[in-house]
Amino acid sequence: MKALLVVFVFTAPLLAQHAFTPEEIVEGGRLFQSNCTGCHGTSGDQVPGVSLMSGKFRRATSDDEVAGIIRKGVSGTAMQAFNFTDQEAGMIVAYLKSFAGTSVVTSATDAPALGDVARGKQLFEGKGNCLSCHRVGQNGSRVGPDLSSIGLPRPPLFRFVGFQGTPPPPPTAATIVAQLQRDLLDPDAEIAPANRMYRAVLKDGSVITGRLLNIDPFTVQLFDSKERLLTLQRSDLREFGAVKSAMPSYRDKLTPQELSDLLAYLFSLKGEVQ
């Protein structure tokens, strides 16, 4: 079967001049995953109030403006400038926007039987103690992943790698809920690299645990449990490595009804317009 050529053309002035092939979008994904996930996460929703793969942006109204922000950064914020060419920045935007049209297929037979959203919200904020690590909107902690848009489809790492023939079908509500349930019952089953916890033991015996934001030959940057951004010199480390997820399993902590209610609330979280 011959490979089907899929070309994405965007309407903004800069990017409309070039049709992005699947291979270029894959390269944009590689650039994004290797440069941006330390802060934004692999799904682009790690920064509170920001959902990069929604296709809508708070500080930009066109694709070339988004590309400009990627290259120049945003003064007075943690968004730094990157030494990308116009083409590279354009490919990153193309990668992000390739998810913007992703819809969730829901039919009468597919729609999962979920509980009550309001009760689920109470569990999330109360018995589940989820806000001690996670954040929804402006409430909660930044230690763990931001869950403001956890009910949206999660993009695979490289959606177009090996693309042949008909594109895969859109995600269904059932598959999203199943993934949420797995996260609650078996939190170590699948952890995105940007969300994995690391443990650093310094030569003086002190221990620091946090999410790894960046690592180079000389330093390690961690976001610790006190929401501090720490830069550690690798020469000062005695031990350093990944540890199990700090998130507990709710398998024996929630009744079936409570689990259903909590899933209903998480599935309802679709993020904010940027």
Side-chain angles (χ1 to χ4, degrees):
M1 181 181 295
K2 293 183 179 179
L4 176 65
L5 177 62
V6 178
V7 177
F8 292 81
V9 182
F10 301 112
T11 57
L14 170 66
L15 301 184
Q17 298 174 9
H18 180 74
F20 290 93
T21 65
E23 290 76 17
E24 289 171 318
I25 295 176
V26 168
E27 177 61 15
R30 187 193 67 77
L31 291 170
F32 176 84
Q33 297 294 336
S34 60
N35 292 278
C36 310
T37 56
C39 293
H40 288 285
T42 55
S43 296
D45 58 1
Q46 190 66 52
V47 176
V50 176
S51 182
L52 296 180
M53 293 175 185
S54 68
K56 300 175 182 179
F57 305 96
R58 188 166 51 201
R59 298 177 182 271
T61 58
S62 63
D63 297 338
D64 56 336
E65 288 181 0
V66 179
I69 289 174
I70 292 172
R71 295 185 65 238
K72 300 174 184 177
V74 179
S75 178
T77 74
M79 178 61 194
Q80 67 185 66
F82 286 89
N83 188 29
F84 293 131
T85 65
D86 288 341
Q87 173 70 7
E88 289 171 332
M91 289 190 294
I92 293 174
V93 177
Y95 170 74
L96 296 175
K97 292 198 69 176
S98 71
F99 298 100
T102 300
S103 59
V104 179
V105 174
T106 306
S107 65
T109 56
D110 169 73
L114 294 174
D116 183 78
V117 172
R119 291 198 304 263
K121 185 174 188 291
Q122 292 177 346
L123 284 166
F124 183 88
E125 297 175 350
K127 180 178 179 178
N129 196 31
C130 304
L131 290 177
S132 64
C133 291
H134 298 285
R135 192 173 183 86
V136 172
Q138 299 302 311
N139 300 318
S141 168
R142 294 183 175 87
V143 173
D146 188 298
L147 301 183
S148 300
S149 57
I150 194 64
L152 292 173
R154 301 184 208 177
L157 187 59
F158 294 128
R159 184 179 173 189
F160 294 96
V161 170
F163 179 77
Q164 296 280 333
T166 304
T172 65
T175 58
I176 295 173
V177 171
Q179 190 169 31
L180 291 171
Q181 179 169 302
R182 183 182 61 184
D183 292 343
L184 290 172
L185 301 183
D186 191 6
D188 282 307
E190 181 181 87
I191 304 176
N195 298 333
R196 186 169 292 280
M197 301 296 290
Y198 282 77
R199 178 175 180 266
V201 180
L202 278 66
K203 290 180 178 178
D204 63 6
S206 56
V207 178
I208 299 171
T209 303
R211 283 191 292 114
L212 179 66
L213 297 184
N214 188 49
I215 186 169
D216 60 40
F218 305 102
T219 63
V220 170
Q221 283 188 329
L222 292 176
F223 190 72
D224 77 352
S225 57
K226 298 179 181 179
E227 299 190 24
R228 300 177 300 176
L229 176 60
L230 303 177
T231 299
L232 309 175
Q233 299 297 317
R234 296 187 68 172
S235 59
D236 293 334
L237 298 180
R238 190 172 70 197
E239 298 177 21
F240 181 73
V243 295
K244 293 185 65 175
S245 171
M247 179 172 167
S249 169
Y250 288 89
R251 187 178 302 276
D252 300 319
K253 294 180 172 63
L254 300 176
T255 67
Q257 184 60 58
E258 288 174 332
L259 177 62
S260 180
D261 291 340
L262 183 55
L263 285 170
Y265 173 63
L266 293 174
F267 183 63
S268 75
L269 298 176
K270 300 296 194 292
E272 302 173 355
V273 175
Q274 304 305 313

